[in-house]
Amino acid sequence: MSPSLPSLEQLYLGLDLSTQQLKCLAVTGSLSVTHEEIVTFDSDLPHYGTKKGVHMDSALNEVTAPVAMWIEALDLTLSRMKRAGFEFERVRGVSGAGQQHGSVFWSEEAEGVLGELDAKRGLVEQLVGEGEGREGVFTWDRSPNWQDHSTQAQCDAFEQCVGGEEILAGITGSKAHHRFTGPQILRFYQRFPGRYERTSRISLVSSFLCSLFLGRIAPIDVSDVCGMNLWDMRSNSWSGELLNLSAPDLRSRLGEVEMQPGKHLGPVSGYFVERFGFREECVITPFTGDNPSTILALPLRPLDAIVSLGTSTTLLMATPTYVPSPSYHLFNHPTDRELYMFMLCYCNGALARERIRDEITSTSTPTSDPWGEFNEKALSTPPLGKRLKTDDAKLGIYFPVPEIVPNVGAGTWRYRISPTGDLKKVETFDSGIEARAIIESQALSMRLRANPLLSTSTPAQPRRVYLVGGGSKNPAIAEVLGQVLGGKEGVYRLDVGGNACALGAAYYAAWAVEGRKRDGEEEGFGDFVAERWEEGGRIVKVGEGYEEGVWEGYGDVLDAFEEVERRIGREE
């Protein structure tokens, strides 16, 4: 503790460089939030001309963000905090999160400039310069965004290089994706060979932000590296075959990967000490990706699942089992080297649920609750629409927009499953079955794909299911999801505010500095957070989860559900 502040609790900063905002949270050693600062790119930095934080080129299917905007946002964030009286001298550690997959291209001069920043001048002025088109210490003034779809040819090359999407998923934890850094680097090299030749180092967004605080190029962290299609998950090393495919001498440009979670990378750059008042001993720890950081925002145990019910639907889970598939992503866990992070993303989330709601809701009966009629119908309909054991089960799949899991176009498909397992395609369901089927089908898809990773649990279901996002407040969605997925200890609605990534990063910084037991051994992140984390007000139990007989009944139709998906795929 700083000698001048003996009575004040020490603080930890967590930052989140997302698509549309830069967020900064401060927490105490007991993990209480004391300060929050947000810079919104479009409104706070309008001179960059972004829309929702990015520039879009529809002709090239290209989505990028200006790197200078991110740098100015950091300066603005910390300046606002200083003007508000925030005491940077109390900060003992800093970590952060960055939107995954994006890359930043540094010139040979970058490291020297980072280490010699003048505290009397702003970051943009020194790192980028002034005037449109200036690149400063960067060989490209932009960074590819995760929404970019310009790399189909490069994705094809990645999968052809190793023998197909399943083999690539086995190596890297994911099949080739447009947004992943490897295909993006290959495209950058093909488009701009001169720029690539002048590039000395390449950072991810997370390690770029870390580099600013560290005053030198920071290593990529062990979890975020898995979103590149370049890291061999089996050996935890760079894949030479995929590096060679991407660009010449790429290994030296990417640098080392920090394998030790919570590593003290070094003290904060003197620039931040002089300009903002950070203490010289403030520790900079690895920064990770936004999705890995999200699972750090609560004491998530192995085989706990987080279901994010927003515009898209995402399932996150920590698992000890490495069972790769083209259908989902596996990353190294950001704080536990014995675990992996499972991530399953769907395009059709709230949009599909809202479409069915609107189709079945009576327009003649005005109501203050737009979900009231939908919920009543979903909850009054038995699982799979079966009132008797001899009834057919009903399955509906609803994709208002093209889906990636499975990879099919937009459409609606309805099937009846006889007690003997025969499938029959039908055109319509009654409104009650429709309401329940949209929730069931989304949950069945998650269960089907998560099953191999839950094999160490008996029965094969999560310990707890945590719901976040707008849909988490809907009782019908919560109940049906719990019945399909299970959850031995129940289903919970989780509220950690709108800044889960920044909060997870702040917890990471606190653990990295304070997470040592008295005998000198490291305290596990989960135990560290659990000891300090208060559930009251943050977690509400909204469902029982596992119901004997119901969960097994859904398991009986998983094979039929998988066959329906295959048939849909053959129709494409």
Side-chain angles (χ1 to χ4, degrees):
M1 182 175 288
S2 172
S4 62
L5 294 164
S7 62
L8 296 178
E9 192 169 5
Q10 299 177 93
L11 301 176
Y12 300 91
L13 292 187
L15 294 100
D16 172 28
L17 178 47
S18 66
T19 303
Q20 300 189 51
Q21 297 176 320
L22 177 64
K23 304 171 186 177
C24 182
L25 289 183
V27 302
T28 64
S30 57
L31 306 186
S32 299
V33 176
T34 66
H35 190 92
E36 174 184 280
E37 198 69 51
I38 299 176
V39 167
T40 300
F41 303 141
D42 289 5
S43 56
D44 290 318
L45 301 169
H47 44 285
Y48 289 98
T50 58
K51 184 176 181 180
K52 296 186 176 180
V54 296
H55 293 142
M56 293 190 177
D57 185 332
S58 57
L60 295 175
N61 288 323
E62 187 176 81
V63 184
T64 61
V67 177
M69 179 179 71
W70 296 342
I71 298 171
E72 187 171 350
L74 177 60
D75 227 341
L76 179 57
T77 298
L78 300 181
S79 296
R80 285 178 174 177
M81 293 172 70
K82 185 178 181 179
R83 287 196 298 270
F86 183 81
E87 298 169 298
F88 285 103
E89 67 269 26
R90 293 172 56 192
V91 177
R92 284 191 68 196
V94 181
S95 187
Q99 52 187 281
Q100 287 197 270
H101 318 300
S103 44
V104 175
F105 300 84
W106 302 91
S107 70
E108 189 175 355
E109 297 77 28
E111 194 119 43
V113 174
L114 283 171
E116 299 292 336
L117 291 170
D118 180 356
K120 296 182 177 63
R121 302 163 61 200
L123 286 172
V124 172
E125 178 187 353
Q126 298 178 78
L127 295 175
V128 183
E130 298 177 349
E132 189 173 350
R134 294 291 296 274
E135 294 177 339
V137 299
F138 305 99
T139 58
W140 198 28
D141 61 351
R142 291 183 283 169
S143 173
N145 178 263
W146 60 270
Q147 300 169 86
D148 186 278
H149 278 73
S150 66
T151 57
Q152 184 59 56
Q154 290 77 20
C155 287
D156 292 343
F158 264 66
E159 292 180 352
Q160 291 166 7
C161 175
V162 297
E165 64 176 20
E166 291 200 12
I167 297 175
L168 184 63
I171 297 170
T172 70
S174 302
K175 70 175 186 178
H177 288 272
H178 296 127
R179 65 188 185 276
F180 272 45
T181 325
Q184 289 287 344
I185 290 174
L186 173 55
R187 181 172 182 264
F188 177 75
Y189 169 67
Q190 291 170 338
R191 291 181 70 204
F192 308 121
R195 291 181 185 270
Y196 179 82
E197 183 64 29
R198 298 194 305 275
T199 299
S200 175
R201 292 293 300 273
I202 300 174
S203 292
L204 295 181
V205 175
S206 59
S207 58
F208 154 76
L209 185 59
C210 184
S211 300
L212 299 180
F213 279 97
L214 197 58
R216 56 182 170 82
I217 306 298
I220 297 170
D221 107 294
V222 68
S223 183
D224 208 13
V225 72
C226 303
M228 301 180 75
N229 279 144
L230 294 173
W231 187 254
D232 191 329
M233 297 281 290
R234 305 164 302 179
S235 61
N236 258 333
S237 62
W238 293 114
S239 166
E241 184 177 19
L242 294 169
L243 290 179
N244 291 336
L245 167 68
S246 301
D249 197 26
L250 181 55
R251 173 70 178 75
S252 66
R253 288 170 167 82
L254 294 172
E256 297 300 322
V257 172
E258 183 48 64
M259 303 296 294
Q260 180 183 332
K263 176 75 174 291
H264 293 190
L265 299 178
V268 68
S269 163
Y271 175 84
F272 295 93
V273 175
E274 294 183 44
R275 187 172 178 86
F276 299 105
F278 280 83
R279 59 198 293 167
E280 292 182 356
E281 303 85 3
C282 177
V283 172
I284 304 303
T285 70
F287 287 29
T288 191
D290 53 1
N291 288 300
S293 192
T294 296
I295 69 170
L296 302 181
L298 77 159
L300 197 69
R301 299 296 187 181
L303 304 184
D304 284 349
I306 299 177
V307 182
S308 177
L309 297 164
T311 303
S312 59
T313 293
T314 302
L315 175 65
L316 298 170
M317 187 169 64
T319 173
T321 308
Y322 184 69
V323 184
S325 166
S327 297
Y328 50 73
H329 308 288
L330 283 172
F331 302 141
N332 288 319
H333 192 280
T335 63
D336 191 328
R337 297 186 67 174
E338 301 300 318
L339 295 176
Y340 300 96
M341 190 190 84
F342 164 88
M343 185 170 75
L344 181 60
C345 302
Y346 297 90
C347 298
N348 288 275
L351 180 63
R353 295 188 294 270
E354 290 167 3
R355 178 172 173 177
I356 296 300
R357 177 202 64 187
D358 294 343
E359 288 177 355
I360 68 174
T361 298
S362 171
T363 57
S364 61
T365 309
T367 175
S368 59
D369 180 7
W371 289 95
E373 187 173 348
F374 175 96
N375 291 349
E376 189 278 326
K377 289 180 176 180
L379 293 177
S380 63
T381 301
L384 299 167
K386 294 182 61 170
R387 299 194 179 278
L388 301 173
K389 288 186 177 181
T390 54
D391 288 347
D392 289 352
K394 289 85 177 176
L395 288 178
I397 295 180
Y398 310 87
F399 295 157
V401 298
E403 185 53 76
I404 55 175
V405 182
N407 187 15
V408 297
T412 299
W413 300 266
R414 301 175 182 88
Y415 280 83
R416 299 175 71 103
I417 310 168
S418 73
T420 59
D422 295 327
L423 285 170
K424 180 182 178 182
K425 190 173 183 180
V426 297
E427 293 300 319
T428 60
F429 286 150
D430 70 45
S431 60
I433 291 174
E434 204 89 301
R436 190 174 184 97
I438 176 59
I439 309 172
E440 288 177 333
S441 66
Q442 292 183 340
L444 282 167
S445 180
M446 295 181 213
R447 179 170 168 180
L448 175 67
R449 290 166 172 86
N451 254 353
L453 301 165
L454 293 165
S455 59
T456 57
S457 174
T458 304
Q461 58 181 273
R463 185 184 74 102
R464 284 186 174 189
V465 176
Y466 293 101
L467 307 180
V468 299
S472 66
K473 299 177 182 179
N474 184 300
I477 294 173
E479 180 171 323
V480 177
L481 277 177
Q483 290 174 337
V484 178
L485 296 176
K488 297 173 185 177
E489 296 184 11
V491 180
Y492 299 80
R493 184 172 70 246
L494 174 65
D495 183 9
V496 292
N499 301 319
C501 295
L503 189 64
Y507 289 177
Y508 184 102
W511 167 71
V513 175
E514 296 192 12
R516 306 285 172 177
K517 294 184 178 179
R518 291 180 181 177
D519 58 7
E521 293 183 3
E522 183 178 289
E523 183 178 12
F525 178 85
D527 291 335
F528 175 83
V529 175
E531 288 173 4
R532 295 158 176 80
W533 206 79
E534 296 181 4
E535 287 194 0
R538 302 188 190 186
I539 291 180
V540 178
K541 190 170 185 178
V542 293
E544 294 303 317
Y546 174 71
E547 294 182 30
E548 186 174 0
V550 176
W551 183 82
E552 288 81 1
Y554 282 114
D556 290 341
V557 301
L558 278 179
D559 287 344
F561 182 83
E562 188 172 19
E563 174 59 25
V564 168
E565 287 195 340
R566 278 195 290 266
R567 293 188 182 188
I568 293 171
R570 289 196 293 266
E571 291 177 10
E572 290 292 299

